[in-house]
């Protein structure tokens, strides 16, 4: 009697393909360790830089620590992991694997689901290591867990955006450079807005992440921010996913 094959075996197939790609292209593998290196550099370098700034210019950096945490870790790590996912997708595009999925039992939708889950979990792991390691969170680490989870969800959005609008790796790298500036701008812009206008940040996924981070000790603000981030993030993910599927389904 022939044993039925495990229906999730395609996940292991994709995972093995990613491991082979990592051995041939060291850039994605290198990027996965960047959050640890970055967090370590911040932990040992930031206190020294803060002391030098205070002594030489009288500038006190303590009030801006939440902003630095946002730029250097909470949004930076998901962007790096989104870049890893995008680079792997660009390799699949170059090998025309996305077109080949149309003639296999594994659908393009399943492939994208795997890529999104892989990228999101990679970002979550990176944040869970980098946030406490960088030393900027202090005693607020437990309260930052909602922002960490919401921040990790940005990585699949980065990957999907690059794959939806770039045709190859060269175009994708250029798009990611532009996207990095846009994401950081949307994330930090509410910091300088007047109180009531800060709520406008909830209209974008990066702004929702920073809203939850900066209001980590207010339960109502955290719930509102998480809800807004879930709605905007899910809406963007569905639209980008449909664009990618339509793009490769309609291509010859």
């Amino acid at each position: 009697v022939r044993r039925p094959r495990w229906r999730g075996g395609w996940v292991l197939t994709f995972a093995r393909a990613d491991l082979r790609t990592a051995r041939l292209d060291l850039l994605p593998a290198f990027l996965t360790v960047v959050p640890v290196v970055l967090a370590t550099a911040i932990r040992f370098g930031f206190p020294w830089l803060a002391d030098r700034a205070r002594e030489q210019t009288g500038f006190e950096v303590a009030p801006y620590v939440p902003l630095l945490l946002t730029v250097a870790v909470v949004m930076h790590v998901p962007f790096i992991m989104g870049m890893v996912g995008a680079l792997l997708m660009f390799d699949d595009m170059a090998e025309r694997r996305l077109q080949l999925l149309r003639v296999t039992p594994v659908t393009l939708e399943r492939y994208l689901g795997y890529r999104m889950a892989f990228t999101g979990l990679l970002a979550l792991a990176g944040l869970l290591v980098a946030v406490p390691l960088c030393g900027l969170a202090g005693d607020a680490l437990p309260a930052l867990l909602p922002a960490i989870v919401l921040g990790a969800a940005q990585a699949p959005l980065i990957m999907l955006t690059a794959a939806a609008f770039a045709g190859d790796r060269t175009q994708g790298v250029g798009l990611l450079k532009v996207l990095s500036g846009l994401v950081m701008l949307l994330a930090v812009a509410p910091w300088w807005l007047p109180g009531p206008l800060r709520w406008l940040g909830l209209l974008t996924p990066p702004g929702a992440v920073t809203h939850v981070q900066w209001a980590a000790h207010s339960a109502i603000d955290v719930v509102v921010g998480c809800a807004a981030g879930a709605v905007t993030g899910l809406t963007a993910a569905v639209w980008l996913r449909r664009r990618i599927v339509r793009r490769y389904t309609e291509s010859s």
Side-chain angles (χ1 to χ4, degrees):
V1 179
R2 190 175 183 179
R3 293 183 179 180
R5 296 182 63 185
W6 176 49
R7 292 184 178 182
W10 55 271
V11 175
L12 295 179
T13 300
F14 284 142
R16 286 193 292 266
D18 287 342
L19 289 176
R20 287 195 297 269
T21 300
R23 287 195 293 266
L24 297 174
D25 184 359
L26 295 180
L27 181 57
F30 169 76
L31 289 174
T32 58
V33 302
V34 167
V36 177
V37 177
L38 177 64
T40 303
I42 294 173
R43 185 177 189 89
F44 294 102
F46 175 73
W48 181 84
L49 290 175
D51 290 340
R52 297 290 79 74
R54 187 185 306 109
E55 293 173 0
Q56 297 180 11
T57 67
F59 180 73
E60 182 60 58
V61 299
Y64 298 94
V65 167
L67 184 62
L68 177 61
L69 181 62
T70 297
V71 175
V73 182
V74 175
M75 292 305 302
H76 194 189
V77 171
F79 192 89
I80 292 174
M81 299 312 180
M83 185 183 296
V84 171
L87 290 174
L88 293 174
M89 280 202 68
F90 294 146
D91 289 335
D92 291 339
M93 292 177 185
E95 298 294 332
R96 299 185 64 83
R97 294 183 187 128
L98 273 64
Q99 288 86 347
L100 291 175
L101 288 174
R102 292 183 298 176
V103 294
T104 67
V106 181
T107 63
L108 181 56
E109 289 83 356
R110 283 185 175 182
Y111 166 83
L112 291 175
Y114 164 80
R115 281 274 171 252
M116 293 172 66
F118 171 80
T119 307
L121 290 174
L122 200 62
L124 181 60
L127 284 172
L128 289 175
V129 172
V131 171
L133 181 60
C134 73
L136 298 178
D139 296 334
L141 180 60
L144 290 176
L145 288 177
I148 289 175
V149 174
L150 197 59
Q154 307 306 298
L157 295 180
I158 299 297
M159 178 197 68
L160 291 175
T161 302
F165 293 98
D168 54 41
R169 187 168 182 151
T170 302
Q171 295 178 4
V173 171
L175 177 60
L176 285 169
K177 291 180 180 179
V178 176
L179 195 59
S180 65
L182 178 61
V183 169
M184 291 302 173
L185 177 62
L186 292 174
V188 304
W191 180 270
W192 288 280
L193 293 177
L197 293 180
R198 288 190 177 185
W199 290 92
L200 293 176
L202 295 175
L203 299 177
T204 67
V209 175
T210 52
H211 180 90
V212 173
Q213 178 203 332
W214 298 338
H217 296 287
S218 173
I220 295 179
D221 285 340
V222 168
V223 171
V224 171
C226 287
V231 171
T232 56
L234 182 61
T235 301
V238 169
W239 183 81
L240 291 167
R241 182 173 174 270
R242 287 179 178 176
R243 178 182 172 87
I244 295 172
V245 171
R246 185 169 60 250
R247 176 180 179 182
Y248 287 95
T249 301
E250 296 175 354
S251 62
S252 56

